[in-house]
Amino acid sequence: MDNNILTIRRVGLVISILAFQLYLVVPETDKHNFILNAGVVPARDVLPSWIDIVNTSLLHQNMSVPIAVLDLTIADHRSQYDKMLKAMSKLTKNSVHVVLGPYDDAIAMVTEKLGIPYLSTTAVTKSKLNTTFQILPRLSDFGQSILDIVNFYKWEKVSLFYDDDKGVSIIEKLLTNHDLVVKSWRVDQLRGTAQIREHLVHMRRAFGQKSVLFCSKENTRNILEQARSLAMLSTPYEWFFYDPGDQLNDVFNDFPEVTVNFTMFGLVNDSMGPNLGLTEDRLIWSLAMDASSLVRFAVDSLTNYSVPEVRTSLVDAIKEIKVSGLTGIMQFDERGSRNNFSIFLSEYNGFEKYAIGKWVSKPDFFDSRIQFRDRIKRGNKTMPFPLRGRRAKVVMIIEQPFTMMKRDYALRHGNDRFEGFAVDLIKEVAEMLQFDYEIYLVHDGKFGSKVEDGSEEWNGMIGELLAGNATMSVAPISINSQREEAVDFTKPFMTRYISVLMKLPKSERSYFEFLNPLHHIVWFCTCGAFVVVSIILYMLEKIGTSHNKDYPAISFRESLWFVFGSLLQGSTDASPSTLPGRILTSAWWFFALILISSYTANLAAFLTVKKINAPIKSVTDLASQTKIQYGTVRSSGIMHFFKQTTIEHFSKMWAQMSEVREQDSMVDTTAEGFEKVKKGNYAFFWDTTVNKYMTIMDCEFMEIGPHFDPKGFGIGVPPGATYREELSMAILRMSDTGLLHELENKWWGRRNCPDFTKPSADETSELQIENVAGVFFILVGGIVFAAIVCGFEHFTKMLHNAAKKQKTPQAEKERESFLLPTRT
């Protein structure tokens, strides 16, 4: 006995807790004296208890000898060594010949020492055990079956989710295929669903579409729930589960909307056909039944019933037995592991479960390990839209007129707070595809670009899609190569170009704007012609009247007044009376007619059509000047265009925007860019769709072309999202029916501001007082001048009359003095 204890002490064991163990007692007597006695011990986490399971399984075996089932639970042990002592005492005292139940290191060491066969229903953690048999197949065999399936379908990439050390052995097995890319994620129960969602997002970003789950029932449910929220339960995704005892059946019942088949690797043969209502202890029952069946066949082969010989005979018999059970063929190798069994493959497609084949560990010579009953079905025949009936999260950005806050948004809730083209677009798409949605604004106000810190992280709406926070982005986000590598886009719902938005220059106003229709040289020539014609007319009339006394003479003043009145279409009392004077007058009248008509036509245009003298005529003019600053929004597609372009003048612009005065030229939001444009001396590069809307809503803005860099606006979805095609088809249907055009007309209506860049008769405005004030000034000047002349004439006349009055008395005196002597 002391030698036995010393031997046990030398064995290094890892302390573990044995819930319960059952043992089979065979009294040391002949076959006819066997009596079956059962002891019941409640088993933790197993309902019904293990002792009841074994009793029930033994009743179905039709044992040829009576068997007593007793409890082997070792309670109140201070250490693993104490546990081994109590187990040895109990086994020796009761003459136990065979032990059934979950594996325990202490019990296994004792049974090895006593030569008792130990039928373990769980995985055996120690090697080189001669009397221990593992009824549950090794985990490496399950790993081999998964690897064979992967090789059968010729997958290039597979994802693995696990929550304990089982997953590590599966990873090692998969990595034996050096052409296979394996992405693995360990699920930590403490970190919850946030970590699971992060893992799934990383999987989607890595374009992993084939996943194997080696997780507990709770973690499996959480993974599938998060995968459903990310629309990853549809084609082309594939999901495989380690489910030896159909424990996940009730989990699958919560996902009837899946459009891909869930493939299970099970150990229990589902001979009863499709059935998801079995108890979750099916594996425990099956293993108990198979263990009882092994005992029955082993006992039937006994010939000697003494204790040492019975144990040895049972060990030898079990090693030789090949019997079919609920978990397949039971046959063991020299290490006590099953070596000839099958792993059954079944699928669940949302409404039924059916067997599709099996994997055999030891195939026949002409057979392969994978044996399918019929063609494997992959998904339903009709693939419903994966978002149908679900609530999608739609990320947007404030950008007129795509997404705007309503004026009374503070009094509204949910999606009703927003309006715009993008809001109407997602509303129509959601109604067409029958899903709900929730709009939220991107937290950093950016469209999306790579973070400039050397990492592969993205900001803005692209970052929201990659982080799994958003189901889709509906916004004026342009599709370029860099974004296309990160996320997926639908068919474009609109095409945009790049143009320049500037502040409309103020038109120069002049009080004498009515003089603008004629060039100043024309005015000078007209004045000169007036003087010359007046002089010539006077000379012709003077010569003509000297030869003919019948013609009334015209003074030089009358000649001037006649020519001037003819020019202004006025009438005068005097008129040419000679033939040469009338010929000259006719020529002058024709000259005046053409001049006045031309002046009138030009005057109407100059006074009613505003002419804007813009300092920048085209986009290329910006590159050749430094007075006006220009820029765009940081982390935008337009900034990416300037950064990557090889066109000379655009590259020159990028150098000025980024290297010379980046802080002054670049803005964080479009609203900031529009505000800088309003302040003046700033040109803003942005999408033509937005620039056009701004020129419609605010007459202070003007758009300058030519347009360049055409790109499409598309709905962004996470990489590998299975609902992209349906969204694209919805956009195409909206385009075919003209609905997209109606939405564009709704938000880009008729322009109310005049387009000053186009000289059109329609682009006119009413006359302002500033336009014709000069005419009033001339009229007032004429009044003042006439008043001055009148005053001058009146003053001259007064002086003349005064001088006349003084001269008259003096002449009378002289006359009187002259006449007086004569009288005398």
Side-chain angles (χ1 to χ4, degrees):
M1 182 63 179
D2 293 339
N3 292 334
N4 291 339
I5 294 176
L6 290 176
T7 302
I8 295 173
R9 283 180 176 177
R10 293 190 183 100
V11 179
L13 299 175
V14 178
I15 299 177
S16 60
I17 300 176
L18 178 65
F20 53 87
Q21 295 286 342
L22 306 177
Y23 63 92
L24 184 64
V25 179
V26 182
E28 293 190 20
T29 179
D30 57 31
K31 180 177 181 180
H32 300 286
N33 295 327
F34 289 165
I35 299 174
L36 179 65
N37 294 315
V40 178
V41 177
R44 293 177 300 175
D45 302 327
V46 180
L47 294 175
S49 66
W50 174 255
I51 191 71
D52 293 336
I53 293 175
V54 173
N55 277 325
T56 304
S57 62
L58 290 174
L59 289 176
H60 289 79
Q61 294 300 326
N62 297 323
M63 304 293 293
S64 60
V65 295
I67 299 178
V69 179
L70 302 177
D71 186 11
L72 195 60
T73 300
I74 309 299
D76 300 329
H77 56 276
R78 296 184 300 272
S79 63
Q80 191 79 346
Y81 172 69
D82 182 53
K83 182 178 181 180
M84 294 172 62
L85 289 179
K86 291 181 178 181
M88 176 168 285
S89 174
K90 201 168 188 177
L91 291 173
T92 305
K93 179 180 178 181
N94 293 281
S95 299
V96 175
H97 293 85
V98 63
V99 176
L100 304 133
Y103 176 78
D104 182 84
D105 281 334
I107 300 297
M109 293 304 302
V110 175
T111 55
E112 282 290 319
K113 182 61 181 177
L114 299 179
I116 301 175
Y118 183 4
L119 301 181
S120 174
T121 57
T122 59
V124 176
T125 59
K126 294 192 79 64
S127 59
K128 298 181 180 180
L129 298 177
N130 297 320
T131 63
T132 302
F133 302 90
Q134 179 178 327
I135 302 179
L136 180 70
R138 294 170 299 182
L139 191 61
S140 59
D141 294 323
F142 277 94
Q144 184 63 47
S145 65
I146 294 175
L147 177 61
D148 291 340
I149 289 289
V150 169
N151 294 333
F152 179 82
Y153 288 119
K154 298 179 180 180
W155 290 346
E156 297 179 354
K157 185 181 299 184
V158 65
S159 302
L160 179 68
F161 294 87
Y162 63 99
D163 53 9
D164 57 20
D165 293 338
K166 294 179 182 178
V168 178
S169 61
I170 301 300
I171 295 174
E172 294 175 350
K173 180 62 70 174
L174 293 176
L175 289 177
T176 57
N177 182 355
H178 301 295
D179 297 330
L180 182 66
V181 178
V182 180
K183 300 286 185 179
S184 60
W185 290 276
R186 181 157 190 160
V187 179
D188 187 355
Q189 187 69 31
L190 298 178
R191 295 184 60 181
T193 58
Q195 183 203 44
I196 293 176
R197 189 178 185 88
E198 181 181 354
H199 290 339
L200 290 172
V201 169
H202 287 168
M203 166 188 160
R204 186 166 61 182
R205 292 173 64 179
F207 294 96
Q209 298 172 347
K210 319 299 180 184
S211 303
V212 179
L213 271 65
F214 263 76
C215 298
S216 65
K217 188 175 182 179
E218 182 179 359
N219 285 334
T220 300
R221 186 188 302 274
N222 292 335
I223 291 174
L224 293 180
E225 287 178 352
Q226 294 301 315
R228 175 167 57 187
S229 68
L230 295 173
M232 298 173 66
L233 298 185
S234 56
T235 54
Y237 291 95
E238 296 283 349
W239 297 88
F240 291 79
F241 303 87
Y242 170 72
D243 187 25
D246 295 338
Q247 294 95 333
L248 301 179
N249 287 338
D250 57 340
V251 174
F252 298 149
N253 283 333
D254 296 336
F255 300 90
E257 76 285 357
V258 298
T259 60
V260 292
N261 296 333
F262 290 165
T263 303
M264 286 73 72
F265 292 80
L267 189 62
V268 180
N269 187 6
D270 194 3
S271 59
M272 294 178 290
N275 185 2
L276 293 177
L278 298 176
T279 175
E280 67 177 87
D281 298 324
R282 183 175 181 180
L283 179 63
I284 298 176
W285 280 93
S286 300
L287 293 175
M289 290 291 293
D290 289 349
S292 301
S293 179
L294 285 173
V295 171
R296 179 173 67 87
F297 282 101
V299 170
D300 289 344
S301 63
L302 293 178
T303 57
N304 192 337
Y305 297 97
S306 61
V307 173
E309 288 76 11
V310 167
R311 294 172 179 173
T312 304
S313 299
L314 287 176
V315 170
D316 295 338
I318 292 174
K319 289 183 178 180
E320 299 295 331
I321 283 178
K322 180 181 180 182
V323 62
S324 179
L326 294 180
T327 60
I329 298 175
M330 289 180 291
Q331 188 175 6
F332 302 93
D333 56 16
E334 63 279 359
R335 296 175 299 175
S337 299
R338 292 180 64 171
N339 65 347
N340 188 11
F341 63 96
S342 299
I343 294 178
F344 300 98
L345 305 176
S346 58
E347 287 187 348
Y348 172 70
N349 60 4
F351 53 91
E352 67 175 347
K353 178 183 178 182
Y354 50 89
I356 61 172
K358 63 181 179 179
W359 176 91
V360 293
S361 62
K362 194 175 181 180
D364 295 335
F365 181 78
F366 295 102
D367 295 332
S368 62
R369 283 188 170 184
I370 301 177
Q371 302 173 5
F372 292 118
R373 297 181 180 177
D374 51 13
R375 182 178 59 87
I376 295 182
K377 301 177 181 180
R378 290 295 172 205
N380 301 330
K381 294 182 180 179
T382 58
M383 298 295 181
F385 181 57
L387 296 181
R388 180 170 298 172
R390 293 182 43 229
R391 191 171 187 84
K393 299 192 68 176
V394 181
V395 60
M396 294 186 177
I397 188 172
I398 294 296
E399 182 77 347
Q400 301 177 357
F402 292 91
T403 304
M404 301 176 289
M405 305 295 294
K406 293 182 178 179
R407 292 184 178 181
D408 57 344
Y409 72 93
L411 303 177
R412 300 175 181 267
H413 302 281
N415 300 335
D416 194 38
R417 297 171 297 163
F418 307 97
E419 63 177 354
F421 177 85
V423 178
D424 292 345
L425 177 64
I426 188 59
K427 179 181 178 181
E428 296 293 339
V429 171
E431 290 179 357
M432 192 176 298
L433 298 178
Q434 301 178 12
F435 68 93
D436 296 328
Y437 61 94
E438 174 188 351
I439 298 176
Y440 77 97
L441 299 178
V442 59
H443 65 283
D444 58 2
K446 297 183 181 298
F447 288 85
S449 64
K450 280 189 177 181
V451 181
E452 297 181 356
D453 57 359
S455 65
E456 294 297 322
E457 298 296 325
W458 286 73
N459 57 23
M461 290 182 289
I462 303 296
E464 291 293 300
L465 292 174
L466 293 176
N469 300 329
T471 311
M472 66 185 74
S473 66
V474 183
I477 180 169
S478 57
I479 305 173
N480 56 39
S481 59
Q482 189 180 37
R483 288 171 176 166
E484 187 70 40
E485 291 178 357
V487 299
D488 293 337
F489 288 94
T490 63
K491 300 292 184 182
F493 58 82
M494 183 178 293
T495 301
R496 74 100 172 107
Y497 296 83
I498 300 176
S499 63
V500 178
L501 190 70
M502 294 186 63
K503 185 177 181 180
L504 186 69
K506 292 184 178 180
S507 59
E508 296 181 359
R509 298 184 181 273
S510 173
Y511 292 146
F512 297 94
E513 194 170 352
F514 64 90
L515 298 176
N516 292 334
L518 298 181
H519 195 269
H520 61 276
I521 297 179
V522 178
W523 283 114
F524 294 150
C525 292
T526 303
C527 293
F530 160 69
V531 174
V532 171
V533 171
S534 299
I535 295 174
I536 295 176
L537 180 62
Y538 170 73
M539 293 176 63
L540 292 175
E541 287 295 308
K542 190 71 173 176
I543 296 173
T545 55
S546 64
H547 289 83
N548 190 350
K549 300 297 183 180
D550 296 333
Y551 295 151
I554 296 178
S555 64
F556 181 70
R557 183 180 64 179
E558 290 175 343
S559 176
L560 289 174
W561 186 251
F562 175 79
V563 174
F564 183 73
S566 299
L567 184 64
L568 298 181
Q569 297 180 354
S571 61
T572 58
D573 293 336
S575 62
S577 56
T578 64
L579 182 59
R582 291 177 179 180
I583 294 175
L584 178 61
T585 300
S586 299
W588 176 254
W589 285 347
F590 184 77
F591 167 80
L593 175 64
I594 300 301
L595 182 66
I596 295 302
S597 300
S598 301
Y599 174 81
T600 303
N602 284 349
L603 180 63
F606 269 84
L607 295 183
T608 58
V609 179
K610 297 181 179 180
K611 301 295 183 180
I612 300 300
N613 186 18
I616 301 299
K617 302 295 183 180
S618 65
V619 174
T620 55
D621 292 342
L622 289 172
S624 58
Q625 59 83 43
T626 57
K627 180 180 179 181
I628 299 177
Q629 298 178 355
Y630 49 87
T632 186
V633 177
R634 295 183 180 91
S635 302
S636 64
I638 298 178
M639 174 182 168
H640 178 72
F641 164 78
F642 279 102
K643 190 175 182 179
Q644 300 294 329
T645 184
T646 57
I647 302 176
E648 182 179 356
H649 57 272
F650 289 142
S651 300
K652 182 178 179 181
M653 290 180 180
W654 171 248
Q656 295 183 11
M657 284 189 287
S658 61
E659 299 175 6
V660 179
R661 49 179 187 272
E662 181 179 0
Q663 299 299 325
D664 297 332
S665 61
M666 294 307 213
V667 294
D668 292 325
T669 61
T670 55
E672 183 182 347
F674 298 145
E675 191 65 29
K676 291 192 69 173
V677 171
K678 275 194 171 184
K679 292 179 180 178
N681 282 337
Y682 184 76
F684 184 53
F685 285 96
W686 202 239
D687 298 329
T688 52
T689 54
V690 181
N691 288 346
K692 179 181 177 182
Y693 179 79
M694 295 305 298
T695 58
I696 292 175
M697 301 304 296
D698 195 334
C699 296
E700 292 188 39
F701 292 118
M702 63 180 296
E703 187 181 9
I704 296 178
H707 301 164
F708 59 95
D709 187 37
K711 281 187 173 59
F713 288 153
I715 297 178
V717 297
T722 58
Y723 45 85
R724 179 184 65 171
E725 294 301 326
E726 286 83 355
L727 293 175
S728 295
M729 290 302 300
I731 291 174
L732 293 177
R733 286 195 292 268
M734 292 176 64
S735 177
D736 293 340
T737 58
L739 186 55
L740 279 180
H741 183 67
E742 292 179 8
L743 293 181
E744 289 183 16
N745 289 337
K746 175 182 178 181
W747 295 103
W748 285 272
R750 181 187 175 100
R751 176 182 171 88
N752 297 321
C753 302
D755 189 355
F756 303 125
T757 62
K758 297 180 179 180
S760 173
D762 297 333
E763 302 291 341
T764 61
S765 61
E766 66 276 6
L767 290 177
Q768 304 293 331
I769 186 61
E770 295 86 354
N771 303 126
V772 294
V775 179
F776 291 93
F777 292 159
I778 292 178
L779 178 60
V780 172
I783 295 174
V784 173
F785 183 72
I788 293 174
V789 172
C790 181
F792 179 77
E793 288 182 349
H794 179 70
F795 180 73
T796 304
K797 187 175 182 180
M798 287 179 61
L799 293 177
H800 178 73
N801 292 336
K804 187 177 181 180
K805 286 181 181 181
Q806 291 179 357
K807 186 176 182 181
T808 301
Q810 185 177 1
E812 288 292 333
K813 288 180 181 181
E814 291 180 353
R815 190 172 67 85
E816 289 178 357
S817 63
F818 176 76
L819 293 176
L820 284 177
T822 305
R823 289 178 182 177
T824 300

